[in-house]
Amino acid sequence: MKSESQKPKSPFYLNLKEKVDENILLIQDARGDFLLDKLHEQSIKYFLNYCLNKPWTNHLFLGILAETEKNLDVQTTYQSIKNINRRLIDIFNNYRLEDMLDFDVNIHLYNYLKASIFPEHSSNMRSIFFSHYKRVSYESSKWIKLKCNQEQQGYFEKFLIPLPYFTSRDFSFSKDATEQAHKTRKSETDAVVPLLPQIRAEAHFRWNQIKRIREAFLKAFEQVKHGKAELPLEIQYNEPARIGERFTFRLWDKPSFVIYHKDKFSDSIVKAAINHTGTYSDDNNHYFLEFLGAERVEDDDIGEGLWFREIIQKNLIGLWYRNISSEELEQKRQLLLSWGYGEKGSTSLPYPFHSQHKAILFQSTTVSNFKNKSGRVLFDIEPLYVATTFGLLALDVFTTTGARLNELLQISNTKECIRAIKVNKQTKFSFYVIPKGRDKVEPYYISDQTMKLIQSVAKMLREHYSSNKIPSVQYRDVRSHLFPEPKPYFFQYNYKALKRYTIDSCLHFLLHGLILETQEGIPVIIKSHLLRHAFATEAAQRQKIPIEIVAKMLHQRDVDVTGYYSEPTSSQVVQTVSDLHDVISDYVDLDEAILRSPKELQDQWVEYQEKVGIFNNVLGGICVEDAVCPIKMQCLGCRAKIPQPEKKHQLYEVIELSKDMEKRYSLMGLDVEVKKAKAMRKHARNELKEIELIEKYREEQNYEPHIRFQK
């Protein structure tokens, strides 16, 4: 330990001083650096907010400092603090324990893990908690033995989290949790895979809608700014025919809202608003929208309005559970649970719309306060536009490349990352990033649509920074040691690179309310890793791409892991069995038909070695596969093909051709070929449906509603 004159440089040192044992705060590594200075701000902030004045405050902080010296992933340490703190609160409250000396792991911890208490907690919750608890307990004990002299060991031993003698093998929850997680993942994948085109299209539709609202807001703001209109200003326009609704908003600023609702505010605030002084001065002014409602244009049905209206009404953006009554808190928690956010039996509070990044999916204090006072649907549009723009690009990349979240966050506006090549006099694009488990960049081939979305993000960032140049920022997610130099990352805002939970919150918001359920009726929430599983399952099971090639598409070394990702879902098994029943009579010997010899496998591999080629034109779209052709050039329905609306005439021709083939093969008695012709027609029609969705959201991108203003 250093002398008293030397203190940690961490800005949180003074906040922790006198709340955490001083000798723990002054712990240093072998080079003499304070471990506190290495601890990530995310972990410290959580600790300050939730872990002080607990019987285990010192024990837990010692444990996470020991983890910090091992340079564990930031999220691992953060999750350790959260899980250990929450479960110890449960256990201590249940047994009315007041001190760590009262905590007997062989009784209290054992009973929790055996589900003798809190039986409503899932096996997964117990498994995750015990995993974090054991690791932190072990690391802090090991640190004391290896890093401290005898005197220091005697001092720090009283702060050790008690290490249990039992292991996870003594309980059933570990196996149960693994099996349940696997089952849940496949059930969720089963719900998502068939709807991927619709999910992508709906995301585009919603981004278009947010963009229209933002443009209406900006036009109204210009009217007021140039003295052509006064506040409050009513804004009205018709949504596209697909929606068939007329939206009405009202533009406010701080003074106009207070003056209009003066009965809700004190005399001093009303006076400041009238005189434009203090927080109501022109320098401190703020403009925002009120949603007045939606009405049908062609009929008398009730308009659906904004998909995010209830999120706004219920104040669920950000850390929604602060400063509310326990009754209101439970009501909101149950609402989120009904939407699929959170885990049944858990007492934790989910915050799916909290980006943890300034000005992304955020509502100003002014708007929140005014909304609470008036009960009106008020919101800031810019943070919602930013969130949906990032969310749309992320969704597109996940569902067309199968990339991981960490790989997404690496995409930067550099010539080393975004690369273009000329193919048949057309420019095609790819991005190069470092996949998990590698140390060199690898290519991810993208469509023109993805590149347009990247350009949309770039445009948004240039407007945000009022510059033609996207600034270089420090990478802040996992494996940051691989990216020490700042870069102009596309996923950044307010001069900070985004983190994974920001992307997840953007996806939650963009796709909120989509009806996605497992076969058991459980709501499914779109997450980045779920989309990766869906991509793999689609490729392996529906498109019959060999698992080795799927592994290459996913940039995955372990084919066994790819196999887990791409296991068939229950619906696919049912469909396959049905298809097998249809064709079983066509084979004299079923075993002979489905069991292939090593030579036959080798012959098939040789067939696969015929490449289509990256970005080559194929039936109904363009190929972005750089491996051997995954489905022997049967391009209809292939996961490696991006459908293109301008080629839909080719698919219509395929449908007509398949009808002719079906008739001819029927006359020849070739039943299997008849089924192939039907399958060809089915794939072509499915692609036409996806193209129809693409055409609709492209059309809405260019839709410019006539905006009417009225005071």
Side-chain angles (χ1 to χ4, degrees), residues 481-494:
H481 62 283
L482 293 175
F483 318 108
E485 298 299 323
K487 291 182 180 179
Y489 294 110
F490 285 109
F491 288 94
Q492 64 160 292
Y493 211 70
N494 273 328

Side-chain angles (χ1 to χ4, degrees), residues 400-622:
T400 59
T401 69
R404 302 173 180 88
L405 218 165
N406 170 255
E407 293 149 11
L408 173 89
L409 295 175
Q410 294 176 46
I411 304 175
S412 64
N413 189 31
T414 59
K415 62 182 180 180
E416 292 80 18
C417 181
I418 303 292
R419 304 188 192 181
I421 60 172
K422 284 284 186 180
V423 179
N424 297 326
K425 297 182 180 181
Q426 291 183 322
T427 304
K428 302 299 179 182
F429 301 94
S430 57
F431 65 81
Y432 283 69
V433 296
I434 301 178
K436 180 181 178 181
R438 319 287 172 88
D439 55 11
K440 293 182 180 179
V441 297
E442 294 183 9
Y444 293 72
Y445 300 100
I446 57 178
S447 67
D448 292 344
Q449 176 65 44
T450 306
M451 195 61 206
K452 288 177 181 177
L453 294 177
I454 290 175
Q455 290 168 342
S456 294
V457 169
K459 178 176 180 292
M460 178 185 74
L461 292 175
R462 287 193 292 268
E463 290 177 357
H464 170 61
Y465 291 117
S466 299
S467 170
N468 289 326
K469 186 178 180 181
I470 299 174
S472 294
V473 297
Q474 200 72 43
Y475 184 85
R476 299 199 303 151
D477 202 65
V478 297
R479 300 192 301 150
S480 55
H481 62 283
L482 293 175
F483 318 108
E485 298 299 323
K487 291 182 180 179
Y489 294 110
F490 285 109
F491 288 94
Q492 64 160 292
Y493 211 70
N494 273 328
Y495 297 99
K496 281 190 175 183
L498 273 57
K499 294 185 178 180
R500 56 188 53 229
Y501 38 73
T502 305
I503 299 298
D504 281 334
S505 67
C506 292
L507 285 174
H508 290 158
F509 181 75
L510 179 63
L511 301 175
H512 172 71
L514 292 186
I515 307 301
L516 299 171
E517 292 184 341
T518 66
Q519 291 184 358
E520 298 76 25
I522 300 172
V524 174
I525 301 302
I526 296 294
K527 299 176 282 289
S528 57
H529 212 62
L530 174 58
L531 293 173
R532 181 170 166 83
H533 277 259
F535 179 91
T537 303
E538 168 81 2
Q541 300 302 326
R542 297 184 65 174
Q543 313 305 334
K544 307 303 180 186
I545 299 176
I547 198 71
E548 295 84 1
I549 298 177
V550 176
K552 182 172 175 59
M553 293 167 71
L554 294 174
H555 297 261
Q556 216 161 33
R557 282 179 173 170
D558 191 339
V559 177
D560 290 338
V561 175
T562 309
Y564 161 65
Y565 273 43
S566 57
E567 281 183 3
T569 66
S570 56
S571 292
Q572 290 167 342
V573 171
V574 171
Q575 184 61 50
T576 301
V577 171
S578 177
D579 293 344
L580 179 60
H581 288 168
D582 286 344
V583 302
I584 196 168
S585 61
D586 295 327
Y587 297 107
V588 175
D589 187 338
L590 179 61
D591 290 336
E592 183 73 22
I594 64 173
L595 296 178
R596 298 169 295 169
S597 68
K599 182 179 184 305
E600 288 172 320
L601 287 172
Q602 181 61 35
D603 290 343
Q604 185 187 47
W605 179 253
V606 172
E607 287 185 54
Y608 284 146
Q609 289 178 328
E610 294 181 12
K611 288 192 176 183
V612 171
I614 303 167
F615 302 124
N616 270 351
N617 288 321
V618 294
L619 191 62
I622 198 162

Side-chain angles (χ1 to χ4, degrees), residues 239-264:
E239 283 283 274
R242 179 185 61 86
I243 298 173
E245 294 181 2
R246 180 176 296 114
F247 283 2
T248 306
F249 301 90
R250 189 176 283 148
L251 178 67
W252 297 96
D253 70 352
K254 289 167 64 175
S256 64
F257 191 86
V258 169
I259 295 169
Y260 193 88
H261 301 88
K262 58 185 178 183
D263 58 315
K264 306 286 186 182

Side-chain angles (χ1 to χ4, degrees), residues 58-217:
N58 289 318
H59 303 68
L60 186 54
F61 204 77
L62 175 62
I64 61 174
L65 285 182
E67 281 203 332
T68 300
E69 191 172 23
K70 287 180 65 68
N71 292 318
L72 293 180
D73 172 60
V74 170
Q75 280 298 308
T76 301
T77 301
Y78 175 67
Q79 292 299 330
S80 293
I81 300 172
K82 283 178 58 176
N83 277 281
I84 293 173
N85 186 60
R86 287 173 176 175
R87 298 292 80 83
L88 287 182
I89 289 175
D90 289 337
I91 295 171
F92 271 60
N93 287 342
N94 182 80
Y95 288 106
R96 298 181 181 178
L97 306 178
E98 296 182 356
D99 193 276
M100 284 297 285
L101 295 175
D102 301 327
F103 178 50
D104 188 334
V105 291
N106 295 312
I107 297 175
H108 305 124
L109 180 60
Y110 184 86
N111 285 344
Y112 175 75
L113 298 177
K114 273 290 187 184
S116 299
I117 59 174
F118 299 102
E120 69 275 13
H121 287 194
S122 67
S123 295
N124 190 49
M125 289 172 63
R126 298 179 203 278
S127 178
I128 291 174
F129 161 61
F130 192 43
S131 174
H132 287 300
Y133 182 96
K134 279 193 308 179
R135 189 184 63 253
V136 171
S137 175
Y138 174 76
E139 291 298 338
S140 53
S141 177
K142 179 182 174 183
W143 179 84
I144 286 179
K145 291 177 182 177
L146 297 180
K147 305 291 183 178
C148 297
N149 58 39
Q150 194 167 5
E151 180 183 354
Q152 291 171 332
Q153 286 183 28
Y155 182 81
F156 285 124
E157 277 179 355
K158 62 185 176 183
F159 298 127
L160 287 178
I161 294 177
L163 186 64
Y165 291 104
F166 45 78
T167 69
S168 58
R169 291 191 297 272
D170 296 313
F171 308 92
S172 63
F173 63 74
S174 183
K175 181 181 177 182
D176 292 345
T178 301
E179 291 177 351
Q180 183 58 46
H182 190 175
K183 181 181 177 182
T184 299
R185 180 72 73 187
K186 296 318 295 183
S187 294
E188 292 179 340
T189 304
D190 190 27
V192 169
V193 168
L195 299 176
L196 278 176
Q198 290 91 330
I199 291 170
R200 286 164 50 84
E202 184 62 27
H204 278 273
F205 289 142
R206 291 180 171 190
W207 181 79
N208 288 337
Q209 187 175 88
I210 284 283
K211 182 169 171 282
R212 288 191 294 272
I213 297 172
R214 179 177 181 259
E215 288 172 351
F217 168 82

